């Protein structure tokens, strides 16, 4: 996952850029980057594996001078990429995941296009996007051509002399939101980046929409395709920041609703206290406590937010170590109590079992009732790297054990009224070693978010693709571009001045 932030100001923008980008630190732990354009480009990229964005960039940003800039926090690739292209120089930051990246890179290599940012034998996705954009007749055409050939999703910020081009992925999986204040415009993945930097939310970009932000305001360059909108439901359940809103819907409030809906189904258990696995489980737990009338307490606290998300570091050993170290149990709260523990989700289940549930039993909990705020995860994310291999998922492990082999069609296991679903959940509960386990249903999760079901990506749980994503044929870059309905972008098309 990545978070991106861009700003155009009448004055020097680097301080706003620094803080605005830093407010995306919860989304990635591997790389941070900022690029500012004044008389020239200034760009800095640092690895964040061992230290936080603020400490790495504090000295840098004071040296960066210019009125427009982009920043990124990334769990995957070093960015922003700088490219001296046929369109002039630009810097690019992206958020998303390109499933067919290797295939596209191989095609470009055959056409004589080189890549410089290769690490671990994998092409840098942002560099790949830059090279794909460069195939266009102009930048907007290039972004659309890129959208045509990628599988997965990509939202981006492209900084050049004209301003910042902001484009949201065609399916709207990843959010991009425009903000405004006196003398400055900004665009962000997280609206929480606006609150303390003084921006007011103007609106979310539509799926596939492309805008240009510069000193004169914002110009829409392509309107996007609203009917493809399927924003990631996991943003509200886990990955988003509590103070953020997407499509105008706040994360914290959705999590509280999730907790309330979980509590409504729990008429058959008697518990002493309600809790949540920090941090994202807290709001789910608070909602559960409000609905059930039971006290919310903290049997587990996180020693420091500096550890970040336990799944984000790429090595499993580091993820496990972080998970073990960051949560500290409070025996005085746990001992002798029946506890509801709200969790955002269960991915592999191993960290929950080994580092959360074990700590509670070790402190003499009487009963442990686990309540994930979303249904069993069945499919790894294809669009933004939120989950990992299919074989690792706890639900898939359970199915493998129950059936004796992997299943292609898991529809019976995604139906919460089926006997197979019940047996799968019982198997996971036994494996986790908990008193009871009850997952949120898809219907309740959708109700808590409050968007129509068809406007949400639910692929993680149901494996349903947005129709437009299906690309069954081999990609030939030259032929995949549909005949352009619009002529090449000459700064004349879709130039509706919006503000
Ligand atoms: S597959 Fe899951 S994590 Fe990925 S975009 Fe869809 S809902 Fe979000």
């Amino acid at each position: 996952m990545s978070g991106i932030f861009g700003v155009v100001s009448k004055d020097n923008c680097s301080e706003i850029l620094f803080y605005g980008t830093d407010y995306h630190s919860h989304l990635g732990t591997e790389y941070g980057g900022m690029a500012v354009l004044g008389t020239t480009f200034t760009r800095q990229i640092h690895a964040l594996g061992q230290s936080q964005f603020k400490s790495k960039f504090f000295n840098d940003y004071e040296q960066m001078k210019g009125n427009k800039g982009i920043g990124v926090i990334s769990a995957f690739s070093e960015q922003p990429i700088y490219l001296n292209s046929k369109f002039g120089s630009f810097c690019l930051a992206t958020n998303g995941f390109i499933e067919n990246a290797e295939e596209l890179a191989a095609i470009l290599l055959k056409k004589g296009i080189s890549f410089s940012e290769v690490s671990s034998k994998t092409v840098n996705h942002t560099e790949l996007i830059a090279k794909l954009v460069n195939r266009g007749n102009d930048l907007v055409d290039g972004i659309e051509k890129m959208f045509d050939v990628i599988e997965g999703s990509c939202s981006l910020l492209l900084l050049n002399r004209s301003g910042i081009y902001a484009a949201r992925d065609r399916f709207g999986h990843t959010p991009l939101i425009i903000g405004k204040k006196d003398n400055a415009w900004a665009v962000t993945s997280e609206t929480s980046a606006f609150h303390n930097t003084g921006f007011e939310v103007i609106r979310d970009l539509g799926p596939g929409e492309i805008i240009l932000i510069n000193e004169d305001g914002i110009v829409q360059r392509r309107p996007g395709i609203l009917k493809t909108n399927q924003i990631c439901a996991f943003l509200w359940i886990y990955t988003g920041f509590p103070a953020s809103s997407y499509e105008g819907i706040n994360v914290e409030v959705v999590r509280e609703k999730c907790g309330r809906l979980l509590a409504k189904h729990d008429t058959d258990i008697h518990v002493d206290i309600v809790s949540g696995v920090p941090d994202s489980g807290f709001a789910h737990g608070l909602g559960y406590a409000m609905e059930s009338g039971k006290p919310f307490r903290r049997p587990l606290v996180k020693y420091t937010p500096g550890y970040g998300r336990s799944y984000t570091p790429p090595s499993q050993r580091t993820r496990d170590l972080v998970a073990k170290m960051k949560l500290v149990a409070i025996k005085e709260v746990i001992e002798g109590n029946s506890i509801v523990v709200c969790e955002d989700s269960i991915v592999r289940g191993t960290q929950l079992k080994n580092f959360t549930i074990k700590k509670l039993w070790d402190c003499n909990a009487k009963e442990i009732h686990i309540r994930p705020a979303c249904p069993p995860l069945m499919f790894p994310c294809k669009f933004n790297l939120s989950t990992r291999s299919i074989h690792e998922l706890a639900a898939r492990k359970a199915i493998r054990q129950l059936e004796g082999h992997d299943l292609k069609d898991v529809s019976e296991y995604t139906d919460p009224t089926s006997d197979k679903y019940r047996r799968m959940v019982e198997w996971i509960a036994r494996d986790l070693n908990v008193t009871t386990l009850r997952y949120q249903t898809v219907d309740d999760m959708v109700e808590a978010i409050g968007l129509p079901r068809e406007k949400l990506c639910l692929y993680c749980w149901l494996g349903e693709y947005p129709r437009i994503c299906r690309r069954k044929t081999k990609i030939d870059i030259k032929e995949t571009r549909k005949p352009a309905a619009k002529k090449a972008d000459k700064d004349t098309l879709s130039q509706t001045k919006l503000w």
Side-chain angles (χ1 to χ4, degrees):
M1 290 216 43
S2 305
I4 49 181
F5 184 86
V7 58
V8 177
S9 165
K10 296 241 155 101
D11 316 307
N12 186 28
C13 73
S14 59
E15 185 175 279
I16 296 173
L17 181 65
F18 169 72
Y19 285 105
T21 306
D22 183 50
Y23 276 118
H24 294 80
S25 292
H26 58 290
L27 292 172
T29 56
E30 288 307 298
Y31 299 102
M34 298 203 307
V36 169
L37 180 54
T39 49
T40 58
F41 281 96
T42 330
R43 183 181 64 138
Q44 288 291 350
I45 299 173
H46 292 296
L48 302 180
Q50 300 301 323
S51 57
Q52 294 172 310
F53 179 87
K54 267 194 285 294
S55 62
K56 286 281 189 178
F57 284 86
F58 192 79
N59 292 329
D60 291 337
Y61 93 78
E62 295 186 326
Q63 315 301 320
M64 300 175 98
K65 304 280 182 238
N67 75 322
K68 40 179 123 31
I70 57 175
V72 57
I73 303 267
S74 170
F76 193 49
S77 55
E78 292 162 89
Q79 35 171 329
I81 289 295
Y82 172 81
L83 198 68
N84 195 1
S85 77
K86 65 187 184 188
F87 307 123
S89 304
F90 65 79
C91 280
L92 180 72
T94 62
N95 176 21
F97 180 68
I98 316 302
E99 209 190 4
N100 58 340
E102 297 305 322
E103 185 186 352
L104 291 171
I107 295 169
L108 291 179
L109 280 168
K110 266 194 198 155
K111 290 176 183 292
I113 295 167
S114 309
F115 292 90
S116 56
E117 308 278 343
V118 179
S119 57
S120 311
K121 297 186 187 156
T122 308
V123 66
N124 178 310
H125 285 199
T126 306
E127 185 182 14
L128 173 66
I129 295 297
K131 300 284 167 73
L132 289 170
V133 169
N134 206 35
R135 294 167 45 243
N137 298 319
D138 54 56
L139 286 170
V140 174
D141 181 56
I143 292 168
E144 293 210 303
K145 278 194 165 104
M146 176 275 291
F147 280 157
D148 284 345
V149 297
I150 62 165
E151 290 179 21
S153 77
C154 176
S155 292
L156 62 83
L157 299 179
L158 187 153
L159 170 69
N160 75 357
R161 288 263 159 237
S162 308
I164 296 173
Y165 289 87
R168 185 173 173 194
D169 76 88
R170 265 201 183 152
F171 317 109
H173 291 316
T174 51
L176 262 187
I177 301 117
I178 310 164
K180 182 181 183 330
K181 69 174 181 177
D182 287 349
N183 294 330
W185 293 89
V187 58
T188 188
S189 301
E190 292 279 13
T191 59
S192 48
F194 284 166
H195 302 325
N196 293 339
T197 50
F199 288 91
E200 148 196 15
V201 171
I202 299 297
R203 70 172 177 87
D204 294 44
L205 261 71
E209 183 176 1
I210 305 172
I211 59 168
L212 173 63
I213 311 174
N214 58 28
E215 296 80 351
D216 301 323
I218 293 187
V219 171
Q220 187 186 57
R221 303 301 305 278
R222 289 290 183 268
I225 317 164
L226 272 176
K227 65 178 185 207
T228 63
N229 197 0
Q230 285 208 318
I231 187 168
C232 170
F234 221 42
L235 286 163
W236 285 280
I237 301 300
Y238 179 25
T239 50
F241 195 73
S244 278
S245 298
Y246 321 106
E247 313 290 339
I249 299 171
N250 173 258
V251 171
E252 181 82 354
V253 171
V254 168
R255 290 181 187 165
E256 288 176 1
K257 284 184 188 162
C258 277
R260 281 183 178 276
L261 289 165
L262 283 166
K264 275 193 175 152
H265 296 290
D266 272 351
T267 49
D268 52 349
I269 59 167
H270 300 284
V271 297
D272 301 305
I273 62 172
V274 179
S275 68
V277 180
D279 290 323
S280 44
F282 275 166
H284 298 299
L286 282 165
Y288 190 109
M290 287 189 271
E291 186 65 32
S292 65
K294 296 290 178 187
F296 180 84
R297 297 189 70 188
R298 297 195 299 162
L300 296 161
V301 288
K302 201 186 212 179
Y303 179 65
T304 166
Y307 276 116
R309 292 180 184 282
S310 57
Y311 74 79
T312 311
S315 106
Q316 190 55 51
R317 192 189 161 275
T318 313
R319 288 201 297 275
D320 287 346
L321 188 65
V322 168
K324 181 182 172 192
M325 293 300 176
K326 74 177 178 181
L327 286 188
V328 185
I330 305 175
K331 190 168 185 180
E332 290 79 356
V333 175
I334 299 166
E335 191 152 36
N337 279 327
S338 291
I339 307 170
V340 161
V341 183
C342 291
E343 172 66 303
D344 44 71
S345 56
I346 299 177
V347 183
R348 297 186 316 144
T350 45
Q351 290 182 0
L352 182 65
K353 176 180 173 176
N354 298 335
F355 308 125
T356 304
I357 293 163
K358 182 174 183 307
K359 285 175 189 173
L360 294 173
W361 286 133
D362 287 349
C363 290
N364 302 326
K366 189 170 147 204
E367 293 178 349
I368 301 173
H369 305 274
I370 298 292
R371 296 295 178 266
C374 69
L377 291 163
M378 288 285 182
F379 300 88
C381 177
K382 281 179 176 290
F383 311 107
N384 67 8
L385 272 188
S386 282
T387 50
R388 307 214 167 234
S389 142
I390 196 165
H391 302 292
E392 295 177 324
L393 299 174
R396 291 289 186 158
K397 269 192 284 175
I399 293 170
R400 199 156 50 241
Q401 291 300 321
L402 292 167
E403 298 281 344
H405 55 86
D406 289 318
L407 278 190
K408 256 193 169 172
D409 178 3
V410 291
S411 50
E412 284 183 279
Y413 285 96
T414 59
D415 173 3
T417 62
S418 76
D419 192 50
K420 291 204 168 188
Y421 176 91
R422 182 185 53 74
R423 289 200 293 127
M424 173 187 71
V425 174
E426 282 172 2
W427 190 94
I428 299 170
R430 272 196 307 278
D431 188 54
L432 292 175
N433 187 25
V434 292
T435 316
T436 69
L437 168 68
R438 188 170 283 154
Y439 284 90
Q440 189 77 286
T441 63
V442 169
D443 287 349
D444 280 355
M445 181 176 72
V446 170
E447 183 186 328
I449 294 170
L451 282 174
R453 186 179 170 120
E454 64 276 10
K455 294 284 176 198
L456 288 167
C457 176
L458 302 171
Y459 179 81
C460 281
W461 302 283
L462 301 176
E464 291 168 1
Y465 260 73
R467 252 181 304 140
I468 195 166
C469 277
R470 291 191 181 122
R471 285 181 184 279
K472 289 189 176 150
T473 49
K474 276 246 169 211
I475 289 166
D476 179 317
I477 286 184
K478 265 199 164 159
E479 288 166 9
T480 47
R481 179 87 173 116
K482 295 165 201 95
K486 320 132 199 162
K487 253 190 132 239
D489 169 26
K490 297 271 189 240
D491 282 343
T492 52
L493 285 166
S494 301
Q495 285 271 21
T496 327
K497 181 104 178 172
L498 298 182
W499 299 279

